[in-house]
């Protein structure tokens, strides 16, 4: 067989395969009712809420946490200081030692359209006059928030630690993959916590990500890859493979954190972050959140009565209370200020202010 014949056969085979793939792509689009001219990146169909998506360019890989907010981000509405702590005002030039430290997820960080002065930790600082450092990170579960606190405590030596709790942060503690990347997670084996993904494998670099994004515009490729390996394929995929029960893991991590806080003589406070769907609910807290708050209280944490306070606000004025929320989990400036008032009322006083 001559070289020209071989080349011709290869071209025919490639052309046949290409036509077959095009036909399959067209057939899938017709079945799904998708216009043939639509080429959105379906790989990113599970994109996170606007706050996480907007801050995604502000985070870096971290071998312990998987991702963390970059230090010294400087935007009109969002600024950070050392360790990726969000500043509370233009006057804040860095983190403060022996202050109040806050860890949590995007609702704590101030997700949505809140400026530096508007997240509830910043408002708590203004109400109480105590320095409050907001070390929350978007998309964090309780497991990552606890690891973040454990990393910062030896450096900042906080007087009080506030740990936010929500149904989302509990659920994310049961994931081994979140937002499309591997994360630290824990299982409970023989009654003890066991850490996994420690350190967290580096994020994919090089041409792999761009190639995936390019192929993600093809429904046929997306259908195949979602069936084969959804965790690795989906841009914002998640997985619970190997991870332990999220509520049980959260309780064990809170116990571990409380033991370290006790050794340091620091106050421990849990801050439940009410969600919009809880307003007017007749069924009470989600069972996992109720379990985590109860075991936190047994461990010696002070639990902020924010859920009951929001419920009381709703009974008094449902329309006004509904404006506390930007979406299911994130707060407006009004909601953020209201939560800060509740937190400030129970926050341990600074030395000399008792």
């Amino acid at each position: 067989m001559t070289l020209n014949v071989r080349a011709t056969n290869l071209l025919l085979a490639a052309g046949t395969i290409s036509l077959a793939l095009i036909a399959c792509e067209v057939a899938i689009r017709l079945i799904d009712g998708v216009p043939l001219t639509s080429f959105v990146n379906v790989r990113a169909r599970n994109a996170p809420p606007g706050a996480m998506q907007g801050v995604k360019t502000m985070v870096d890989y971290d071998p312990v946490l998987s991702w963390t907010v970059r230090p010294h981000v400087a935007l009109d509405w969002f600024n950070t200081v050392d360790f990726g702590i969000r500043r509370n005002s233009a006057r804040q030039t860095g983190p403060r030692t022996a202050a109040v430290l806050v860890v949590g997820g995007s609702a704590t960080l101030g997700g949505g359209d809140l400026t530096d002065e508007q997240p509830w930790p910043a408002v708590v600082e203004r109400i109480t006059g105590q320095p409050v450092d907001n070390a929350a990170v978007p998309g964090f579960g309780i497991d990552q928030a606890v690891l973040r606190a454990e990393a910062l405590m030896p450096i900042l030596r906080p007087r009080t630690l506030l740990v936010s709790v929500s149904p989302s942060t509990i659920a994310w503690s049961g994931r081994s993959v979140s937002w499309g990347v591997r994360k630290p997670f824990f299982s409970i084996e023989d009654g003890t916590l066991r850490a996994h993904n420690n350190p967290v494998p580096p994020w994919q670099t090089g041409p792999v990500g761009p190639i995936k994004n390019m192929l993600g515009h093809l429904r046929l490729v997306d259908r195949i890859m979602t069936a084969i390996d959804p965790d690795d394929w989906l841009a914002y995929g998640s997985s619970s493979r190997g991870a332990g029960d999220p509520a049980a893991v959260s309780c064990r991590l809170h116990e571990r954190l409380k033991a370290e806080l006790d050794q340091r003589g620091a106050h421990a406070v849990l801050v439940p972050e009410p969600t919009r769907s809880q307003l007017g609910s007749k069924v009470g807290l989600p069972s996992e959140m109720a379990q985590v708050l109860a075991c936190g209280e047994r461990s010696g944490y002070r639990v902020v009565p924010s859920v009951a306070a929001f419920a009381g606000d709703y009974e008094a004025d449902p329309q006004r209370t509904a404006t506390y929320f930007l979406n299911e989990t994130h707060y407006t400036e009004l909601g953020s200020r209201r939560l800060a008032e509740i937190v400030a009322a129970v926050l341990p006083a600074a030395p000399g202010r008792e």
Side-chain angles (χ1 to χ4, degrees):
M1 184 179 294
T2 66
L3 183 62
N4 287 339
V5 172
R6 287 178 178 174
T8 300
N9 288 340
L10 286 173
L11 288 173
L12 286 173
T16 301
I17 293 172
S18 298
L19 289 174
L21 292 175
I22 291 172
C24 290
E25 176 73 16
V26 170
I28 288 175
R29 287 171 176 265
L30 291 175
I31 292 172
D32 292 346
V34 177
L36 299 179
T37 56
S38 173
F39 286 95
V40 298
N41 185 1
V42 289
R43 177 173 170 254
R45 60 184 173 274
N46 291 325
M52 175 65 180
Q53 199 169 8
V55 179
K56 195 163 179 65
T57 58
M58 304 174 197
V59 300
D60 282 326
Y61 163 77
D62 184 280
V64 175
L65 305 171
S66 186
W67 65 90
T68 191
V69 179
R70 295 174 184 169
H72 309 297
V73 173
L75 300 174
D76 289 341
W77 63 281
F78 185 94
N79 296 269
T80 62
V81 295
D82 291 348
F83 311 116
I85 289 171
R86 187 173 188 181
R87 76 180 190 187
N88 291 338
S89 71
R91 297 185 300 276
Q92 184 177 354
T93 59
R96 285 73 58 96
T97 58
V100 178
L101 181 65
V102 185
V103 293
S106 57
T108 308
L109 183 68
D113 58 357
L114 297 184
T115 61
D116 291 337
E117 296 79 9
Q118 294 173 336
W120 64 259
V123 182
V124 170
E125 177 169 312
R126 291 198 299 276
I127 293 174
T128 64
Q130 299 188 53
V132 179
D133 282 345
N134 187 350
V137 178
F140 263 19
I142 287 176
D143 50 2
Q144 291 163 293
V146 169
L147 291 173
R148 171 89 156 144
E150 291 175 339
L152 290 175
M153 283 193 299
I155 303 169
L156 301 180
R157 305 185 303 278
R159 181 179 63 256
T160 300
L161 178 71
L162 306 184
V163 183
S164 65
V165 180
S166 71
S168 296
T169 60
I170 296 170
W172 294 336
S173 297
R175 292 182 179 178
S176 54
V177 175
S178 193
W179 311 119
V181 296
R182 287 173 175 81
K183 61 176 283 291
F185 68 96
F186 294 83
S187 60
I188 299 176
E189 300 178 14
D190 297 325
T192 60
L193 280 171
R194 181 185 174 191
H196 303 268
N197 278 348
N198 182 23
V200 179
W203 296 350
Q204 290 180 339
T205 57
V208 175
I211 291 173
K212 283 183 177 181
N213 285 332
M214 180 179 66
L215 295 175
H217 293 80
L218 301 176
R219 293 259 165 178
L220 174 62
V221 175
D222 177 71
R223 187 71 64 87
I224 294 172
M225 293 304 300
T226 299
I228 295 174
D229 189 0
D231 295 336
D232 191 53
W233 169 249
L234 296 177
Y236 298 103
S238 63
S239 173
S240 299
R241 290 184 294 187
D245 173 75
V249 165
S250 297
C251 286
R252 292 298 184 93
L253 285 169
H254 281 157
E255 290 172 5
R256 187 176 84 178
L257 183 60
K258 181 62 167 62
E260 182 172 352
L261 289 166
D262 287 345
Q263 289 182 349
R264 295 179 176 276
H267 300 285
V269 181
L270 295 184
V271 183
E273 291 180 325
T275 60
R276 181 163 60 186
S277 61
Q278 290 171 0
L279 295 179
S281 173
K282 302 299 183 183
V283 297
L285 286 175
S287 59
E288 289 187 336
M289 189 167 177
Q291 178 182 339
V292 169
L293 294 178
C295 68
E297 201 163 24
R298 288 194 300 271
S299 298
Y301 286 84
R302 185 164 192 174
V303 178
V304 175
S306 48
V307 175
F310 270 49
D313 290 354
Y314 183 79
E315 290 182 7
D317 191 342
Q319 291 184 337
R320 175 178 170 79
T321 310
T323 65
Y324 288 178
F325 294 91
L326 178 67
N327 51 39
E328 171 63 14
T329 57
H330 295 102
Y331 301 110
T332 62
E333 182 181 3
L334 180 63
S336 181
R337 185 169 68 248
R338 179 62 180 124
L339 180 55
E341 292 169 350
I342 302 164
V343 174
V346 300
L347 187 68
R353 295 191 180 188
E354 288 88 346

